[in-house]
């Protein structure tokens, strides 16, 4: 039987043969793009109202279309809607349900519209909503780091470079470092939202339409900031999806770095933090194990975020101007990135809130490793010793202390004087990890006063109420 007769296809006319069932199965997207249903219906209602405003359909017809679309929305939400590969994608599903209920009036909805500008609009609406949810999730995580920083505001911990003991820092300073990174992720999200929030609908398939549409009307109805200016570009532009995938990948990488750090901190060897048990899991064979699986999965899931970004970029690189069906492959990647980061954020904030620093272990830990060497060197510089010379003097002192298995502060005055003749008791004030922290003065440093300023600043930025 030829397709046109009882066909559910939107393109029946010219075809003499029905679509091969294998092609239907191969090319369907409704199994994953059904999650655009709400956005598709919002877009269609705005489009129908615009068609009425310019006289392409009557107001009664637009009302009927809007009403039936809301019924369809209700059916989809309630799980009463039937999906089939034969109707390909969510757009054709909704339109054919509309037509089944409304006849010819339903058949007018697609006036001056193509699935190309339709899907581009739906995806932008979907991403815009996701951006707002992700921003809220990142903010909640920033607040969790901030509140831990406030709880531990006086705690000194070893700072590392190359994962080797470097200089002492305030735990709060390090916790606020994550707030900074997540803050940049949020800035990038906001920036990406601006370019996402542009209306493609009205571009038609690629060239626009000869019908007298009013794109500003649709822009207002859907809350877009601008109307895309070039129909050829707009119908296939997926830059916003790539940008979003990048922002989420970088946020995922930040969270992976944090997870790695806390996995290390939580080992028996470090013992700096104790993770909440509800966010750890055990071993089926080793009864004593309490594993940081949540942090490991956060680290692991960043791989998907990076992969999705790469997939999108490669997807786009060979496409000539305007819509190509390859673009259907954009959705699973961007959906997965959004889902993945949302799931990570859902566990990261409560994990941070439930984590405790082990003050006893940390107090013992900052005494070792000559974390005050740089502090002593800077004290010598302040006393007039050239930097290279001061570096060398302290290097010799560290070597003496290392050989004897003691700290710099445990070297006697006579011993130090042998390396530096100008040695005096006041210079001892530079020794000790806590003093090293207190002596910091530069803006942005780990000095207690500077960190207190940063805490106050983050409280303001994150809208944390005083009290
Ligand atoms: N399902 C398609 C997609 O996701 C919708 C657009 C189809 N357009 C077309 N010309 N076949 O990209």
């Amino acid at each position: 039987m030829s397709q046109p007769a009882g066909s559910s296809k939107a393109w029946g006319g010219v075809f003499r043969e029905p679509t091969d069932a294998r092609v239907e199965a191969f090319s369907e997207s409704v199994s994953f793009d059904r999650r655009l249903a709400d956005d598709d219906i919002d877009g269609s209602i705005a489009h129908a109202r615009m068609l009425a405003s310019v006289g392409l359909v009557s107001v009664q017809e637009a009302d009927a279309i809007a009403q039936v679309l809301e019924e369809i929305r209700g059916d989809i939400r309630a799980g009463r809607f039937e999906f089939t590969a034969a109707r390909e994608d969510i757009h054709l599903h909704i339109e054919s349900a509309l037509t089944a209920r409304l006849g010819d009036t339903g058949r007018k909805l697609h006036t001056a519209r193509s699935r190309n500008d339709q899907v581009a609009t739906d995806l932008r609406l979907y991403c815009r909503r996701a951006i707002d949810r992700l921003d809220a999730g990142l903010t909640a995580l920033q607040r969790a780091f901030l509140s831990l920083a406030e709880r531990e505001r006086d705690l000194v911990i070893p700072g590392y470079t190359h994962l080797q003991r470097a200089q002492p820092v305030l735990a709060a300073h390090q916790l606020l470092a994550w707030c900074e990174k997540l803050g940049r992720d949020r800035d990038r999200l906001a920036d990406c939202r601006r370019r996402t929030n542009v209306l493609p609908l009205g571009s038609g398939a690629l060239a626009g339409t000869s019908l007298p549409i009013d794109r500003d009307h649709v822009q207002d109805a859907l809350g877009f900031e601008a109307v895309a200016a070039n129909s050829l570009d707009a119908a296939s532009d997926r830059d916003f999806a790539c940008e979003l995938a990048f922002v989420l990948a970088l946020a995922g990488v930040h969270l992976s770095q944090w997870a790695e750090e806390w996995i290390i901190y939580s080992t028996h060897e470090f013992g700096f933090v104790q993770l909440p048990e509800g966010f750890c899991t055990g071993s089926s064979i080793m009864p004593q194990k309490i594993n940081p699986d949540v942090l490991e999965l956060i680290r692991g899931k960043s791989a998907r975020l990076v992969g999705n970004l790469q997939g999108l970029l490669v997807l786009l690189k060979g496409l000539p101007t305007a819509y190509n069906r390859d673009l259907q492959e954009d959705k699973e990647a961007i959906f997965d990135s959004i889902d993945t980061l949302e799931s990570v954020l859902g566990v990261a904030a409560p994990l941070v809130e439930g984590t405790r620093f082990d003050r006893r272990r940390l107090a013992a830990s900052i005494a070792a490793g000559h974390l005050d060497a740089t502090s002593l060197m800077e004290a010598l510089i302040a006393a007039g010793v050239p930097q290279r010379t001061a570096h060398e003097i302290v290097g010799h002192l560290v070597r003496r202390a290392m050989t004897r298995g003691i700290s710099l502060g445990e070297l006697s005055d006579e011993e130090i004087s042998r390396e530096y003749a100008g040695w005096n008791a006041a210079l001892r004030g530079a020794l000790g990890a806590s003093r090293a922290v207190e002596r910091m003065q530069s803006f942005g440093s780990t000095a207690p006063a500077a960190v207190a300023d940063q805490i106050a600043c983050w409280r303001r930025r994150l809208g944390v109420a005083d009290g």
Side-chain angles (χ1 to χ4, degrees), residues 12 55 97 110 134 167 204 224 323 375-376 405 453:
H110 211 51
L134 288 161
Q167 288 180 271
F224 281 103
Y323 183 85
S375 173
L376 178 59
D453 284 350

Side-chain angles (χ1 to χ4, degrees), residues 111-184:
T111 301
R113 186 175 78 170
S114 150
R115 269 186 302 156
N116 300 350
D117 56 350
Q118 184 179 358
V119 69
T121 303
D122 294 3
L123 194 59
R124 283 171 185 268
L125 289 171
Y126 185 92
C127 288
R128 191 176 73 184
R129 287 192 292 125
I131 286 170
D132 295 342
R133 288 197 308 276
L134 288 161
D135 184 67
L138 288 165
T139 309
L141 182 54
Q142 286 182 303
R143 291 200 179 116
F145 279 120
L146 174 61
S147 99
L148 190 53
E150 295 195 73
R151 212 162 76 204
E152 305 289 355
R153 55 194 316 151
D154 62 331
L155 178 64
V156 178
I157 65 172
Y160 293 80
T161 64
H162 312 266
L163 209 53
Q164 303 287 328
R165 289 166 162 264
Q167 288 180 271
V169 296
L170 285 181
H173 192 49
Q174 185 146 350
L175 291 165
L176 292 183
W178 300 115
C179 286
E180 295 283 345
K181 291 181 208 299
L182 298 175
R184 290 194 295 275

Side-chain angles (χ1 to χ4, degrees), residues 30 207 312 344 425:
V30 74
L312 280 170
V344 165

Side-chain angles (χ1 to χ4, degrees), residues 266-413:
S266 70
T267 56
H268 182 73
E269 287 70 14
F270 273 73
F272 290 179
V273 298
Q274 210 169 11
L275 305 173
E277 275 183 25
F279 288 77
C280 295
T281 54
S283 154
S284 57
I285 181 168
M286 296 167 285
Q288 87 285 10
K289 295 274 275 167
I290 301 178
N291 292 328
D293 293 37
V294 170
L295 289 173
E296 291 169 305
L297 279 169
I298 290 174
R299 187 177 57 189
K301 282 179 188 288
S302 64
R304 306 164 69 115
L305 296 168
V306 174
N308 289 335
L309 169 62
Q310 170 155 4
L312 280 170
L313 291 171
V314 176
L315 175 68
L316 297 183
K317 83 177 255 312
L319 301 187
T321 299
Y323 183 85
N324 296 272
R325 188 65 177 272
D326 316 45
L327 289 174
Q328 182 168 292
E329 293 287 313
D330 60 1
K331 288 169 207 64
E332 285 163 293
I334 196 67
F335 291 163
D336 184 70
S337 285
I338 292 166
D339 292 350
T340 300
L341 194 64
E342 279 197 293
S343 74
V344 165
L345 292 171
V347 289
L351 186 149
V352 169
E353 276 151 23
T355 293
R356 300 273 167 275
F357 280 84
D358 188 330
R359 290 185 160 253
R360 205 176 44 81
R361 288 284 297 256
L362 281 159
S365 155
I366 55 169
H370 311 295
L371 294 169
D372 49 2
T374 308
S375 173
L376 178 59
M377 178 192 74
E378 291 190 339
L380 296 183
I381 294 169
V385 182
Q387 194 271 342
R388 294 287 170 212
T389 312
H391 190 287
E392 208 173 297
I393 292 168
V394 176
H396 289 153
L397 292 173
V398 169
R399 177 53 64 187
R400 281 176 186 268
M402 273 167 67
T403 318
R404 296 181 34 212
I406 58 175
S407 68
L408 285 171
E410 287 167 313
L411 290 171
S412 68
D413 288 334

